[in-house]
Amino acid sequence: MSRRARRPAAASHDASTQAALVDAFRGGDLPRAETLARRLTATRPGAAFGWKALGSVLLAEGRPRAALDALERALALAGDDPECRNTLGRALLDLGEPARALEVLERARVLRPADPMVLGNLGAALQTLGRTEAALAPLARAVALAPDSAAALNNHAGALLALDRAAAARPLLERALALDPGLVQARANWVRSVEMLRPDTPSPALRGLLVRALDECWCMPQRLLVPSCALLHAEPVIAAALARVAAHWPGTPTLAALGGAPVVAALLDDALMMALLPRVILGDVGLERLLTLLRRALLVEVEQGRLDADGLALLVAIAQQCELAEFVHDQDAEETARVATLRAELAEALRWRAPIAAERVAAVAAYLPLGSIPFAERLLERDWPQGLQPLLERQLVEPLAERRQLQHIERWALTEDVVSRRVRAQYERNPYPRWRVSEPVLTPAPDLPALLRQRLPGVELGGVACPETPEVLVAGCGTGEHAIATARRLRGARVLAIDLSLRSLCHARARSEALGVAVRYAQADLLALAALDERFDLIESVGVLHHLDDPLAGVRVLVGRLRPGGVMLLGLYSERARAAVYRARALVDAVGIGDDPARIRRARQRLIEAVDEERVLRPLLDSPDFHSMSGCRDLLFHVQEHCFTPSGLADLFSDAGLELLGVELDPTRRAAYRVRFPEDPTVADLARLDTFERDHPLTFTAMYHCWVRPRAGARPG
């Protein structure tokens, strides 16, 4: 057969391959789409379609660096193909190169001025470059051209959020979620748009979305606390109950005095309240006191045998909240004694396998962990009302599963450092933070340089390593929240997470197992890592170094574990942001309150009462840590803590031979910083940061998050 005769068959074969490729891509079968795209590039290397398709598939798989090569080749073959330019611009954005992306996308807009996808990516490039006001025009135009595009609506809303215009962003996001309920980026932006909202009137629509967000895990549940509490306060029945609580606090009113059966029924019928109690620590003094007095009243009902089915359901919900807060709620001496009697009765009944009423189990579970009762595991042998199962799961099944993780955790050297021993004892007593739900993954995981460019837009990264499978050390992983997030957000990462506390590591490994995230855990002291043979491309130590006796010694140990081209993320407390903590500690010390659970409860009540007189304490009540036992211990009673100013950070990094790449800021703060100091886009000038923080002292209430690497000429290890 001649060559001319074979061409139609080859063309037909290519056409069928192209059609199959498009079907696979649209159907989400990316591995098959990649195979077909590579087949096309092999058989027709001079045709642009195969390379463009391959680039699009690789980008969808979260491999923008590989996509870049294919897309640049396609563009060379296709000339000014606007679709190819748009995809190339998206790849450059994902790689953290917004300036190059903008150049490519500006040309795409000239070629296709009414393409919503081009306009959306153009807006994203402008926004990443800090030109958010300029980004609004193309993003709004994209929405006008594609009013039913959830992605376009979300992109426009994201820019508005970056400009601190949450009220304008929220309707766009609600439209986006109505069009595409599963759009993860829109869910995340909606959470950003409401997390500081304080509505003062009932809003059924907002309530419905908050319940959905909690039920469907749109974010860490605690982020929805502020709007949820505001809506609860706005409900007439709850507002009336709060007024009765204020009149009786801190007494022991009867259930009737608190509103009786109507209040119990109203709380049970409140979908938002029932979604919150098992998931979110209600860091609101009024609601906390309502639950505290209801718990006391329901305890009396249990003791007197008067608790009905609704009362039991509410008691179970309150017990879930109390367990979440690790039983930090106030209790008086008489109440404590009555619970001790109930606990002893349960232990005796379990010992002899005698009958036990469900309401007595719920009552004890509202004050202390069921696992602390002798023979508690025998509770799992019995049939209980369905409503009691969540308590048994939380307080017995999950802790047992965590203890089984011990056999899977490596044990390395622990130093004899006195401070390390004291810190380890604190976290064995109260692992911190306790968590169950993680933030969703919004985009395909980038490689290390792209991750850095996303965190520090405009950063110069010459010499930073870019391995396919970066080795990562999380030094001081606590209960695993940070280590798991790192494993999910960095492509190909192999994560080793260490901590002093075995109990914390057990919680971490159980969470990893539940989420299906591979992390290797080991018990080790950061200060003992000098003897470790392994080296790492990325080391993260967030919330750890300031608890060492000598933070500089810890930094130097970590620097010694870096590979050439490696970087570190260090999280350190801000002295200015912790002014409320300093004052609280002074008040607690003045009255001689210690750090056992009963004294921590008393300390909290003393500080709550002092807020009206000392406004400096107000940020304390806004801290999630203040509203749980482990958090409060970590916040107010830590055995060791150092705090820093920007000048202190400069000294620390200089003494350790480190170069500061930049400091992370949330989008709103970053925009404000760029307006003030446009010449410092990555926030790498600590003198300028010091000026900014003086004007905004609560900027780093969590802590400084600093990206650093060894200075030129310094060799890790």
Side-chain angles (χ1 to χ4, degrees), residues 2 7 21 48 162 179 229 243 278 285 326 426 466 483 497 519 567 575 632:
S2 70
R7 280 180 183 166
L21 191 162
L179 290 163
C229 288
V285 172
E326 300 161 274
Q426 173 174 328
C466 184
V519 175
V567 296
E575 183 178 295
C632 201

Side-chain angles (χ1 to χ4, degrees), residues 373-434:
I373 303 172
F375 310 105
E377 291 180 29
R378 293 182 179 178
L379 287 169
L380 299 176
E381 300 170 359
R382 304 186 181 212
D383 292 327
W384 298 103
Q386 187 63 31
L388 201 65
Q389 293 306 316
L391 284 184
L392 300 177
E393 182 71 25
R394 286 278 186 92
Q395 297 198 22
L396 290 176
V397 176
E398 287 183 10
L400 287 170
E402 287 186 15
R403 286 199 289 273
R404 286 195 290 270
Q405 300 296 334
L406 272 173
Q407 60 186 310
H408 302 294
I409 295 171
E410 300 173 38
R411 315 285 179 88
W412 296 352
L414 297 174
T415 68
E416 292 304 310
D417 179 79
V418 173
V419 171
S420 290
R421 290 205 306 270
R422 293 177 67 200
V423 171
R424 181 168 75 250
Q426 173 174 328
Y427 290 118
E428 291 293 356
R429 189 176 184 182
N430 280 112
Y432 166 85
R434 296 172 73 250

Side-chain angles (χ1 to χ4, degrees), residues 129-191:
L129 288 166
R131 298 165 58 187
T132 307
E133 286 282 3
L136 289 177
L139 293 172
R141 175 68 174 150
V143 170
L145 290 165
D148 291 334
S149 168
L153 289 160
N154 174 65
N155 291 339
H156 189 195
L160 290 168
L161 286 172
L163 292 168
D164 207 16
R165 301 180 193 172
R170 203 155 40 247
L172 298 175
L173 292 165
E174 289 168 0
R175 282 170 56 196
L177 289 168
L179 290 163
D180 185 354
L183 185 59
V184 177
Q185 291 86 353
R187 289 177 170 187
N189 277 335
W190 183 83
V191 170

Side-chain angles (χ1 to χ4, degrees), residues 55-107:
S56 298
V57 173
L58 292 170
L59 187 60
E61 289 179 328
R63 298 158 62 189
R65 200 167 299 281
L68 192 64
D69 295 335
L71 292 166
E72 287 178 334
R73 187 158 179 176
L75 197 59
L77 292 167
D80 263 346
D81 180 333
E83 186 179 27
C84 189
R85 280 187 172 274
N86 180 57
T87 310
L88 177 60
R90 183 69 255 173
L92 289 166
L93 281 172
D94 288 354
L95 286 168
E97 299 186 38
R100 284 183 64 195
L102 182 61
E103 181 181 348
V104 170
L105 292 163
E106 286 283 19
R107 178 59 183 166

Side-chain angles (χ1 to χ4, degrees), residues 105 118-128 131-132 134-136 138-139 159:
L105 292 163
V118 171
L119 292 165
N121 285 330
L122 181 65
L126 289 166
Q127 191 176 342
T128 305
R131 298 165 58 187
T132 307
L136 289 177
L139 293 172

Side-chain angles (χ1 to χ4, degrees), residues 207 211 214-215 232 238 263-280 282 291 294 310 313-318 320-321 394:
R207 268 177 157 268
V211 172
L214 289 163
D215 287 345
L232 292 177
I238 294 177
V263 166
V264 172
L267 292 176
L268 289 174
D269 288 341
D270 191 307
L272 181 57
M273 177 67 87
M274 290 301 106
L276 289 166
L277 288 177
R279 297 181 177 96
V280 179
L282 293 186
L291 297 177
L294 280 170
D310 277 0
L314 182 59
L315 182 56
V316 167
I318 291 173
Q320 289 178 278
Q321 173 67 194
R394 286 278 186 92

Side-chain angles (χ1 to χ4, degrees), residues 600-631:
I600 288 176
R601 293 186 191 105
R602 286 205 299 275
R604 289 184 72 252
Q605 297 306 317
R606 168 74 179 88
L607 293 169
I608 289 169
E609 291 162 4
V611 166
D612 288 339
E613 298 173 5
E614 301 201 37
R615 300 305 294 172
V616 68
L617 295 172
R618 181 67 226 182
L620 203 66
L621 300 192
D622 294 332
S623 168
D625 289 344
F626 185 73
H627 300 281
S628 73
M629 186 67 74
S630 63

